[in-house]
């Protein structure tokens, strides 16, 4: 029974989570999740649905069709959700060829088209007027420059998941700190984060800055789980005490790095997962207590001649059945 105390509880927890669309990769991950007291979320594709759409395009000094052609050529080979939204919007325009492209980690892309350097990146400073209002509404603003001269402005929107507010509230009620770490503009991050009730909000972060924020939380004696979906989240997922990837549409690298994958992208599973991990740890402790108490009592009874070998064998098996039954109750846990 003592040998069965831990593996049976872990097996039941893994079985329960898998049946409900949550893939926990190891028993060690369950133990780590049971100690979590801070959850750090990425925004795009995690708290939001990740179905980004282009709301408006504004050209400065060039034709709008020319701007769309530049955008399509620059973003054509990128796998980022924003790039996919831009290319879908610009599809069917004049085909230009990018002589070279490179990723600007955490901000956008740079391409050389017709001998000119085209940069498409998130805007981090106030442009006034229309862009200012868009930022306040929680929309993403993208600036397009040609040889460092502003030639275009895009406004994109994403929908916050209906279940995100519920998940954040559940975590806060459990006494778990909630944190948002996003590369989006600080105004956008604040608008979305405050609407969800997140405790701490950090915007305009590069991937290495996300690492710094997680390190800072850990230094403050926080056990941190990072929840994200993109390639840019992989370093943060690796550094956190535990990690959860949005598995249905998340990047392969993020899913590979994380301890847990949410196969149905249901963010409500995050607080349920922590509850399951905590309950599993309690089951393990109770199993050990049951095994130790029965074994100790059996030894004492044997010393006084009350317990004979036949009854000793029966009690040994009864204790094993009790431990397995107690662990099996985790199979009824609803996530």
């Amino acid at each position: 029974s003592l040998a069965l105390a831990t593996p049976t509880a872990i097996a039941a927890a893994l079985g329960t989570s898998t049946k409900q669309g949550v893939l926990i990769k190891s028993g060690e991950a369950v133990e780590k999740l049971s100690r979590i007291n801070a959850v750090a979320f990425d925004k795009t594709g995690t708290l939001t649905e990740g179905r980004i759409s282009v709301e408006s395009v504004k050209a400065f000094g060039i034709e709008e069709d020319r701007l769309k052609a530049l955008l399509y050529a620059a973003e054509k080979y990128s796998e980022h959700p924003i790039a996919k939204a831009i290319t879908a919007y610009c599809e069917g325009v004049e085909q230009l060829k990018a002589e070279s492209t490179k990723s600007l980690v955490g901000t956008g892309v740079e391409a050389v088209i017709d001998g000119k350097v085209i940069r498409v990146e998130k805007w981090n400073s106030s442009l006034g007027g229309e862009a200012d209002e868009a930022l306040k509404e929680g929309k993403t603003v993208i600036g397009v420059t040609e040889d460092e001269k502003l030639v275009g402005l895009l406004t994109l929107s994403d929908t916050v998941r209906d279940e995100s507010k519920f998940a954040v509230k559940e975590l806060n009620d459990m006494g778990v700190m909630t944190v948002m770490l996003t590369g989006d503009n600080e105004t956008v991050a604040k608008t979305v984060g405050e609407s969800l009730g997140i405790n701490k909000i950090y915007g305009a972060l590069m991937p290495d800055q996300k690492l710094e924020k997680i390190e800072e939380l850990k230094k403050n004696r926080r056990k941190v789980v990072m929840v994200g979906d993109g390639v840019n989240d992989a370093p943060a997922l690796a550094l956190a005490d535990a990690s959860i990837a949005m598995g249905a549409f998340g990047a392969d690298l993020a899913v590979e790095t994380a301890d847990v994958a949410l196969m149905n992208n249901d963010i409500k599973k995050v607080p349920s997962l922590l509850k399951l991990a905590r309950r599993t740890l309690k089951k393990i402790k109770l199993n050990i207590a049951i095994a130790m108490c029965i074994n100790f009592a059996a030894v004492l009874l044997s010393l006084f001649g009350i317990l004979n070998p036949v009854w000793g064998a029966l009690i040994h098996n009864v204790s094993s059945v009790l431990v397995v039954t107690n662990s099996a109750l985790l199979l009824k846990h609803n996530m």
Side-chain angles (χ1 to χ4, degrees):
S1 57
L2 193 59
L4 291 170
T6 298
T8 54
I10 293 294
L14 296 180
T16 296
S17 63
T18 302
K19 283 191 297 183
Q20 298 180 57
V22 180
L23 177 62
I24 305 176
K25 297 182 182 179
S26 67
E28 183 185 3
V30 176
E31 184 181 354
K32 290 190 290 186
L33 288 167
S34 69
R35 298 188 173 94
I36 294 300
N37 57 16
V39 178
F41 293 100
D42 176 45
K43 184 180 81 69
T44 305
T46 303
L47 293 172
T48 65
E49 294 181 356
R51 292 198 291 268
I52 300 170
S53 60
V54 178
E55 285 203 347
S56 65
V57 174
K58 191 173 182 180
F60 302 97
I62 63 172
E63 293 293 325
E64 187 174 310
D65 285 346
R66 169 70 177 175
L67 175 61
K68 289 181 179 180
L70 292 173
L71 284 167
Y72 189 85
E75 298 281 11
K76 185 176 180 180
Y77 300 106
S78 175
E79 291 296 317
H80 194 280
I82 288 178
K84 289 180 179 179
I86 292 173
T87 52
Y89 183 83
C90 299
E91 203 165 13
V93 298
E94 175 193 359
Q95 294 291 311
L96 297 177
K97 185 177 180 181
E99 297 164 29
S100 65
T101 60
K102 70 176 181 179
S103 174
L104 305 174
V105 180
T107 61
V109 297
E110 179 181 292
V112 177
I113 303 172
D114 292 341
K116 296 184 178 181
V117 177
I118 308 298
R119 291 171 68 97
V120 184
E121 55 189 332
K122 293 177 183 176
W123 204 267
N124 290 317
S125 60
S126 174
L127 296 176
E130 183 182 328
D132 228 10
E133 192 62 32
L135 292 171
K136 289 176 183 176
E137 290 175 4
K139 297 172 184 176
T140 300
V141 177
I142 302 291
V144 185
T145 59
E146 185 179 66
D147 286 341
E148 300 186 359
K149 179 186 176 183
L150 182 66
V151 294
L153 182 66
L154 287 79
T155 302
L156 303 97
S157 63
D158 193 5
T159 306
V160 176
R161 295 179 188 274
D162 293 334
E163 59 269 25
S164 292
K165 193 167 187 177
F166 172 84
V168 172
K169 184 180 183 302
E170 281 283 293
L171 290 167
N172 289 337
D173 290 345
M174 290 167 61
V176 176
M177 176 190 286
T178 50
V179 183
M180 178 194 285
L181 305 176
T182 178
D184 275 352
N185 184 282
E186 290 182 5
T187 306
V188 175
K190 188 176 180 181
T191 300
V192 174
E194 288 182 349
S195 71
L196 295 174
I198 291 177
N199 301 140
K200 290 191 175 183
I201 304 161
Y202 301 100
L205 297 178
M206 301 291 281
D208 59 325
Q209 291 174 314
K210 289 185 180 183
L211 296 180
E212 290 172 10
K213 293 300 180 185
I214 289 177
E215 194 65 57
E216 185 180 313
L217 287 168
K218 292 172 74 172
K219 285 179 181 177
N220 291 329
R221 299 183 179 181
R222 293 282 179 180
K223 294 292 184 180
V224 187
V225 61
M226 177 69 192
V227 186
D229 77 315
V231 173
N232 289 340
D233 299 321
L237 291 168
L239 180 65
D241 295 291
S243 50
I244 302 172
M246 308 296 281
F249 302 110
D252 291 342
L253 181 58
V255 175
E256 180 70 26
T257 304
D259 297 305
V260 179
L262 302 182
M263 302 314 297
N264 53 13
N265 277 3
D266 187 355
I267 198 73
K268 287 190 296 185
K269 299 294 186 186
V270 173
S272 298
L273 180 61
L274 298 188
K275 289 176 182 177
L276 174 63
R278 291 178 180 184
R279 189 179 174 194
T280 302
L281 199 64
K282 288 179 181 178
K283 287 288 184 187
I284 291 171
K285 291 177 180 178
L286 181 57
N287 284 345
I288 292 172
I290 290 171
M292 292 293 289
C293 288
I294 291 177
N295 289 343
F296 185 69
V299 168
L300 285 180
L301 291 173
S302 299
L303 284 173
F304 290 106
I306 299 172
L307 195 67
N308 61 40
V310 174
W311 278 104
L314 288 173
I315 288 174
H316 169 76
N317 288 321
V318 166
S319 66
S320 297
V321 170
L322 284 174
V323 166
V324 172
T325 302
N326 186 46
S327 295
L329 293 175
L330 285 170
L331 295 172
K332 293 186 176 182
H333 183 87
N334 187 15
M335 295 181 67

